[in-house]
Amino acid sequence: MSTTSAGLPGTPLDGAPGSGTGIVGPGELLALFRARPALTRAEVMTLTGLSRSTVNQRLDLLQDAGLLVAREPDVVPGRGRGRPSASFAFNEEQGVLLVCDIGATALRAAICDLSGRVLRDLPLTSDVTEGPEAVLSRVDPLFADLLRTAGRGPEDVRGIALSVPGPVDHEQATVVSPPIMTGWDRYDIRGRFARTYACPLLLEKDATAMAWGEYRTHYPDADTLLMLKLGTGVGAGIIAGGRIHRGADGAAGDIGHTQTAGAEGDTGPLCRCGNHGCVEARAGGWAMLRDLAAAGRDLSTVDELVERIRTADPVAVGLARTAGRVLGTALAETVNILNPRVVVVGGQLAEAEEQIFAGLREMVYSRSLPLATRRLELHRSRLDVRAGSVGLALLLADHIFAPATVDAALADPAS
Ligand SMILES: [Zn+2]
């Protein structure tokens, strides 16, 4: 996934004189605008090293395509001499993005502007194990409702992105051999949405989308970030070197199904994936509900579990502290391998921060190498329930407005 190629304010772009990479095309120029509120012609010339005539030609091209809008200068009475310059800005209202963060027991659909800002979202209870037709038929009316209330139609949708709690083939936008998502294996999600929407569709693993949202919004300087999602299951998303790390087959970050059983013969509890002793079979929301039921407390949702923990039910608190230590042990190994600057913990169980984070911190700091934890920060998700939606929208905007994609579309306006 390419991200915006614009540098920091004042940094010449690749392609500027002396960079040795050729000429700044319209797509690169648009990336420059996407990273800033607005720019004047003179500022574009300074940043790119392009001549006035070339800048004018490219700005006209982007304006004609509706990608840039001209802004009249703010005239402050009595200040400055001469006429202030007009500026240009990325047209974030030229269309909308639709995203849906699909979890194990709930989903959240959102409509976003082209900068990736969430304009409105709608949560809904939904069981992912019911299969793609059942789940996506609940997403359809949410998308339609979000479009209608925004005064938009399917023709205004520039891109769709979904996230799911399972392994994903990012290129094909399919779920691959999911441990819990019955019926989703290789299901044609793109083909289904193509019946209504003529736009690109991206599919991402839930924790990866959350990781991207947190990284871009709150930790852009972190470079290496690990997102731990604690919900019904346990998952992780990885940002390494400022990019999403999906692994060779999209299976990176599947921390929930790593084994915690050490001694031979101690197989541990049965997991939803069919193995014994997985991290989530001890510390996932579903496993804690199982253990609470065994202790005579029959709850049906992870939200109810969180409520029990926060109201100091001693059994629930004991389970949360144990889960924190199990998660911390698995996290310590990951920290040793990945050496992240920031670990962000999200998902419903992160709401039981006080009880779960104690064990998590204890194990991470006692079991990781000192060099790996010297500057390590561990935070609760700041985007909270919107982390997935925000990450999906930003990924989608970067995909649609990748410089090469923009250049290709401008060269062939029919596309
Ligand atoms: Zn498992």
Side-chain angles (χ1 to χ4, degrees):
M1 174 61 57
S2 59
T3 59
T4 169
S5 62
L8 297 168
T11 310
L13 280 179
D14 287 348
S19 71
T21 54
I23 295 166
V24 181
E28 297 259 18
L29 210 55
L30 187 69
L32 199 61
F33 282 97
R34 287 185 61 226
R36 295 160 176 81
L39 287 168
T40 63
R41 284 178 208 275
E43 286 168 338
V44 173
M45 288 166 62
T46 305
L47 285 169
T48 61
L50 295 173
S51 70
R52 177 172 290 274
S53 63
T54 307
V55 166
N56 287 344
Q57 184 255 334
R58 301 254 154 94
L59 291 180
D60 286 348
L61 194 63
L62 290 168
Q63 247 191 301
D64 290 346
L67 295 167
L68 285 186
V69 283
R71 284 195 184 157
E72 289 307 312
D74 296 328
V75 179
V76 183
R79 285 195 58 193
R81 266 181 244 154
R83 190 168 155 273
S85 305
S87 62
F88 299 85
F90 174 58
N91 184 7
E92 57 198 27
E93 295 173 4
Q94 197 211 21
V96 290
L97 309 175
L98 292 174
V99 301
C100 189
D101 177 14
I102 300 171
T105 59
L107 55 83
R108 182 175 286 270
I111 187 166
C112 311
D113 70 17
L114 297 184
S115 72
R117 190 180 307 120
V118 174
L119 302 172
R120 183 166 175 249
D121 62 353
L122 295 170
L124 188 74
T125 301
S126 175
D127 180 357
V128 78
T129 63
E130 287 180 40
E133 285 297 343
V135 173
L136 298 178
S137 67
R138 289 183 197 117
V139 176
D140 292 332
L142 294 182
F143 278 174
D145 186 4
L146 289 166
L147 283 171
R148 194 169 50 247
T149 52
R152 300 282 194 165
E155 68 282 0
D156 295 316
V157 180
R158 300 290 303 274
I160 294 174
L162 309 176
S163 62
V164 291
V168 159
D169 180 332
H170 183 72
E171 293 299 318
Q172 299 299 320
T174 55
V175 179
V176 187
S177 308
I180 60 159
M181 297 174 65
T182 319
W184 287 81
D185 192 22
R186 303 281 174 190
Y187 178 84
D188 182 13
I189 297 174
R190 275 198 182 125
R192 190 186 187 288
F193 280 93
R195 291 179 223 151
T196 313
Y197 302 98
C199 63
L201 182 143
L202 300 182
L203 185 69
E204 199 59 76
K205 194 177 72 167
D206 56 357
T208 301
M210 294 166 76
W212 191 247
E214 291 286 346
Y215 166 67
R216 286 284 300 273
T217 310
H218 292 300
Y219 307 100
D221 300 323
D223 190 71
T224 304
L225 176 146
L226 182 80
M227 177 88 212
L228 193 60
K229 183 187 181 186
L230 311 180
T232 306
V234 176
I238 300 167
I239 307 300
R243 304 172 76 90
I244 288 176
H245 178 76
R246 299 186 179 89
D249 300 296
D254 207 348
I255 193 171
H257 298 283
T258 53
Q259 306 294 309
T260 59
E264 210 173 336
D266 171 21
T267 52
L270 178 64
C271 184
R272 299 185 295 178
C273 71
N275 289 331
H276 283 266
C278 295
V279 167
E280 73 162 55
R282 299 178 192 272
W286 68 267
M288 292 168 73
L289 287 172
R290 174 201 62 203
D291 293 344
L292 269 179
R297 288 157 170 80
D298 227 346
L299 310 180
S300 52
T301 68
V302 175
D303 284 334
E304 288 171 8
L305 164 65
V306 170
E307 192 53 33
R308 281 292 179 109
I309 298 169
R310 294 175 71 173
T311 53
D313 176 319
V315 177
V317 169
L319 285 172
R321 293 195 188 284
T322 303
R325 283 192 291 274
V326 169
L327 293 164
T329 305
L331 187 56
E333 291 175 19
T334 313
V335 164
N336 279 341
I337 293 168
L338 192 66
N339 186 201
R341 170 72 58 248
V342 178
V343 173
V344 183
V345 184
Q348 292 145 288
L349 277 167
E351 290 170 32
E353 182 176 356
E354 192 189 320
Q355 293 82 0
I356 288 186
F357 277 43
L360 204 61
R361 284 183 194 280
E362 177 196 332
M363 300 315 281
V364 167
Y365 285 99
S366 65
R367 296 207 174 191
S368 302
L369 296 167
L371 184 59
T373 53
R374 196 162 50 100
R375 292 192 292 157
L376 177 70
E377 297 173 25
L378 206 152
H379 299 291
R380 182 174 161 192
S381 167
R382 290 163 73 180
L383 293 171
D384 198 27
V385 294
R386 295 199 170 82
S389 306
V390 170
L392 286 174
L394 291 170
L395 271 169
L396 195 50
D398 287 344
H399 175 80
I400 296 166
F401 299 111
T405 308
V406 171
D407 286 346
L410 290 174
D412 179 14
S415 70

